[in-house]
Amino acid sequence: MTHNIIRRPQVDDSHLTSITSPLLRQIYARRGVTAQQDDLALKHLLRPDTIKDIGLAASIVADAIEADSSILIVGDFDADGATSTSVCLLALKMMGATKVDYLIPNRFEYGYGLSPEIVAVAASKGAELLITVDNGISSIEGVNAAKAAGMKVVVTDHHLQGRELPAADAIVNPNQHECQFASKAIAGVGVAFYLMSVLRATLAKRQWFSSQQIEEPNLSHLLDIVALGTVADVVALDANNRRLVNAGMQRVRAGRCRPGITALLEVGKRNPQKMVAADFGFAVGPRLNAAGRLDEMALGVETLLCDDIMRARQMAAELDGLNQERRELESGMQQEALKYLESLSLNEQTLPWGIALYQDDWHQGVIGILASRIKDRYHRPVIAFADAGDGEIKGSARSIKGLHMRDLLDAINTQHPGIIIKFGGHAMAAGLSIHANKFTEFTQAYEAAIKQTLSFEHLSGEVLSDGELLIEQLTLETAQMLRQAGPWGQAFEEPVFDGYFTILQQRIVGEKHLKLMVETQCGSLMLDAIAFNVDLKVWPDATINHVRIAYKLDVNEFRGNQSVQLMVEHLDPM
């Protein structure tokens, strides 16, 4: 897949006078950081009063707590859903709720969200108030069923709304129309945290804590869970999300996080004292997600809720085993998908603009990762489908820059009614169900819709670089400064640099990773570099001596020693 290394332009950074490093000042300015956004203190968090209906929702929940009603949290089966559920459950108990429980639908049995079937389960548990977290904005039928059964419903979500809203008692979702909250990128766990914060203020105003002789809870104790869910859901790290994530990471580094998060970092071989946001994304999030992908997300929630480190370690080990099983499944599915695409003898000119894949024995819980891997390899929008039974197949979609996936599915649904059974999601990721016998028809409509939206230039990958580092900047001090300057993540990308190097050594490690020893062009500095998941048809190649590398400057720790390492993002033979 062709990638172009494009250097970000120099921009005015004079407003960031508090940052002494010229390199970091320019990096921040290129990412749109204002003087106010440079300060990640929690006191600068957006206030909740601009979130539509949050006061109403808090009053409804407060009424339920005062009446000792049975409250049931209905979550989603991913990391955002698990963290949202945990935040609400822990906060409600801290605030004196005595009848509170949670329910996360099994993705294979019930599918996503508050469905009428899940409402029936909730009714059997005696639920009087349902609080949805990370779902509910599209649960028209489920909310109707809950209301018909005499339940109150508070929806908290962050997904985009459809043409119709559910008839809930209150909807808290910054992405619903007419909501003035400035952070549209907030994760489901962030929405849940904001609601719990307003609920605490509502109960305090009612003198609930003093009357019950309960200490007013400090909800900042939950920010490690909020940070985990925010990073794992790959939402854009705008200033507000960065503040939430930064505060959560500070708790982890200070050894004040939940035992479950500590245990998950341990099995992921990450040092809590030196963690970065990427550790949530690549070590903790996937293990938490593995429960919902292959089994029951309740295991993930229970790990986050656990107060005992030994028990947390046992559950983290179970999650680690599930994640290993998930990786093996995904690896096999990826090989099958690549073999199919390669059998078509396609090149960049003849490859479909939108890739749609389906195999009836693929695992429903892993198709999202598969779609992401194929998207990264070919830089095309990808939907991977798996059999869902009863003549339906479920798809998980991943998009590329320039294509809003949920809007695309909406357009297909409008132009070709009857193909898509249901859909929902975001700009970069979405889910859908279609009739299995309409896969070919859907694929044709999908390809046509993409060609109406994109130009061919969109299909070439871009690697955005912050330029070339001078030899005196290729140091451990620079790497550590950049590591501490985060949190980096979606839409607030960790700095990537580029330069020309001579290859001194190259070999494959860990089956498909390329380990390099390279030298700067002037020949005065040798550096270690590693490129993950390289094309083994190309590398290693002893005839390639000179390369242009786009890389992240990283700190490599081995046996107590630290050294600079280039984490290769893209490698161009010269």
Side-chain angles (χ1 to χ4, degrees):
M1 176 67 231
T2 300
H3 281 76
N4 301 314
I5 299 174
I6 298 173
R7 288 189 176 174
R8 298 176 189 262
Q10 198 80 3
V11 297
D12 178 24
D13 58 16
S14 58
H15 58 289
L16 298 175
T17 52
S18 63
I19 300 172
T20 55
S21 162
L23 174 66
L24 188 57
R25 194 161 58 238
Q26 184 61 205
I27 287 168
Y28 274 1
R30 285 170 174 158
R31 284 151 182 78
V33 173
T34 66
Q36 294 75 27
Q37 291 170 347
D38 174 33
D39 188 344
L40 295 182
L42 278 177
K43 65 182 179 182
H44 297 302
L45 271 182
L46 291 172
R47 309 320 303 164
D49 50 15
T50 55
I51 303 178
K52 181 176 165 57
D53 281 353
I54 195 165
L56 172 61
S59 292
I60 292 168
V61 181
D63 290 345
I65 292 174
E66 288 183 332
D68 201 25
S69 299
S70 176
I71 303 171
L72 186 69
I73 303 155
V74 181
D76 184 21
F77 40 64
D78 66 0
D80 192 13
T83 52
S84 303
T85 301
S86 302
V87 161
C88 285
L89 195 82
L90 289 166
L92 289 169
K93 287 185 174 180
M94 288 159 73
M95 288 187 255
T98 58
K99 296 178 182 174
V100 56
D101 200 357
Y102 72 93
L103 175 62
I104 298 196
N106 181 301
R107 76 192 304 154
F108 312 110
E109 203 173 331
Y110 294 105
Y112 168 79
L114 181 66
S115 62
E117 293 80 10
I118 283 296
V119 169
V121 177
S124 72
K125 289 175 171 281
E128 295 167 281
L129 169 64
L130 299 183
I131 304 174
T132 72
V133 291
D134 192 33
N135 75 95
I137 197 67
S138 59
S139 301
I140 311 297
E141 294 176 1
V143 171
N144 288 342
K147 297 301 293 177
M151 301 177 200
K152 284 189 174 293
V153 183
V154 169
V155 166
T156 78
D157 204 346
H158 69 129
H159 295 93
L160 300 176
Q161 75 168 77
R163 291 183 179 86
E164 183 184 356
L165 284 174
D169 294 275
I171 298 174
V172 183
N173 182 345
N175 281 304
Q176 69 174 312
H177 303 161
E178 300 171 13
C179 183
Q180 302 302 310
F181 191 66
S183 177
K184 303 300 182 184
I186 192 167
V189 69
V191 179
F193 179 74
Y194 264 94
L195 175 59
M196 293 299 109
S197 301
V198 176
L199 172 63
R200 179 186 59 185
T202 302
L203 288 169
K205 190 180 283 187
R206 296 183 184 187
Q207 275 87 49
W208 165 256
F209 298 117
S210 56
S211 70
Q212 298 297 308
Q213 298 182 319
I214 298 171
E215 186 178 345
E216 187 171 337
N218 182 352
L219 296 185
S220 68
H221 292 170
L222 304 175
L223 282 168
D224 51 343
I225 308 179
V226 177
L228 167 57
T230 300
V231 173
D233 209 44
V234 204
V235 294
L237 288 192
D238 61 14
N240 208 58
N241 282 339
R242 288 181 69 228
R243 290 184 181 114
L244 290 170
V245 171
N246 185 64
M249 291 199 312
Q250 286 178 345
R251 290 194 66 79
V252 177
R253 289 172 183 156
R256 292 186 286 119
C257 73
R258 302 292 303 174
I261 293 179
T262 300
L264 286 166
L265 283 165
E266 287 174 357
V267 295
K269 296 180 171 59
R270 298 300 202 275
N271 183 343
Q273 283 73 47
K274 296 180 180 179
M275 76 157 300
V276 293
D279 294 332
F280 276 150
F282 295 108
V284 182
R287 287 171 171 83
L288 199 58
N289 271 324
R293 292 188 188 284
L294 301 187
D295 195 17
E296 291 271 5
M297 185 40 104
L299 175 60
V301 174
E302 290 300 321
T303 304
L304 294 175
L305 296 178
C306 183
D307 284 321
D308 175 66
I309 186 62
M310 297 309 293
R311 178 69 186 126
R313 283 172 175 150
Q314 290 172 355
M315 290 191 283
E318 284 184 63
L319 289 170
D320 189 47
L322 284 171
N323 191 52
Q324 184 58 42
E325 186 182 339
R326 186 274 305 165
R327 289 173 65 178
E328 290 166 4
L329 270 170
E330 185 259 319
S331 177
M333 287 163 57
Q334 188 181 157
Q335 287 174 19
E336 289 165 353
L338 292 174
K339 187 176 178 182
Y340 165 72
L341 290 168
E342 288 165 5
S343 74
L344 301 177
S345 301
L346 300 171
N347 56 39
E348 254 178 77
Q349 300 298 319
T350 58
L351 193 71
W353 286 34
I355 297 173
L357 302 162
Y358 166 55
Q359 197 161 300
D360 60 11
D361 62 347
W362 280 350
H363 196 289
Q364 262 189 59
V366 187
I367 50 176
I369 302 173
L370 174 64
S372 186
R373 297 279 192 265
I374 302 299
K375 183 264 296 182
D376 289 344
R377 187 178 182 99
Y378 289 102
H379 199 74
R380 297 286 201 276
V382 176
I383 307 180
F385 288 91
D387 184 36
D390 297 324
E392 290 184 20
I393 56 177
K394 280 189 178 176
S396 193
R398 297 295 182 270
S399 194
I400 61 173
K401 186 179 176 182
L403 181 73
H404 193 297
M405 183 57 76
R406 191 202 169 279
D407 286 356
L408 183 88
L409 295 176
D410 194 17
I412 294 171
N413 193 45
T414 301
Q415 294 167 17
H416 304 272
I419 296 181
I420 300 178
I421 299 168
K422 58 184 176 182
F423 68 94
H426 302 291
M428 302 307 289
L432 70 158
S433 295
I434 68 173
H435 298 287
N437 59 7
K438 294 193 175 181
F439 175 71
T440 302
E441 189 181 346
F442 171 81
T443 301
Q444 292 166 349
Y446 171 60
E447 178 79 357
I450 291 173
K451 286 185 172 178
Q452 288 171 7
T453 309
L454 297 181
S455 64
F456 190 73
E457 287 67 38
H458 285 101
L459 305 180
S460 287
E462 285 182 357
V463 177
L464 289 176
S465 166
D466 283 284
E468 188 168 11
L469 288 177
L470 303 172
I471 282 185
E472 53 266 31
Q473 292 174 313
L474 288 165
T475 63
L476 199 56
E477 290 72 27
T478 303
Q480 288 170 332
M481 176 192 72
L482 293 172
R483 172 179 276 204
Q484 291 160 10
W488 309 105
Q490 184 75 7
F492 197 81
E493 296 86 359
E494 185 176 350
V496 171
F497 308 98
D498 72 275
Y500 296 88
F501 298 87
T502 301
I503 296 179
L504 303 178
Q505 296 174 18
Q506 52 178 302
R507 60 191 173 90
I508 295 296
V509 296
E511 295 185 5
K512 52 184 177 180
H513 310 316
L514 183 68
K515 192 87 169 66
L516 300 164
M517 173 71 76
V518 298
E519 189 175 52
T520 53
Q521 269 195 314
C522 61
S524 59
L525 183 64
M526 290 188 294
L527 296 158
D528 280 324
I530 187 161
F532 293 105
N533 300 312
V534 296
D535 187 344
L536 297 178
K537 297 190 185 83
V538 177
W539 299 99
D541 184 342
T543 67
I544 299 174
N545 298 310
H546 302 284
V547 286
R548 185 185 186 191
I549 300 178
Y551 63 90
K552 293 175 181 173
L553 196 67
D554 193 44
V555 178
N556 184 38
E557 297 194 29
F558 184 67
R559 291 179 180 170
N561 296 317
Q562 293 186 330
S563 60
V564 173
Q565 180 172 247
L566 308 185
M567 305 292 284
V568 177
E569 295 290 299
H570 187 63
L571 200 57
D572 265 341
M574 305 307 295

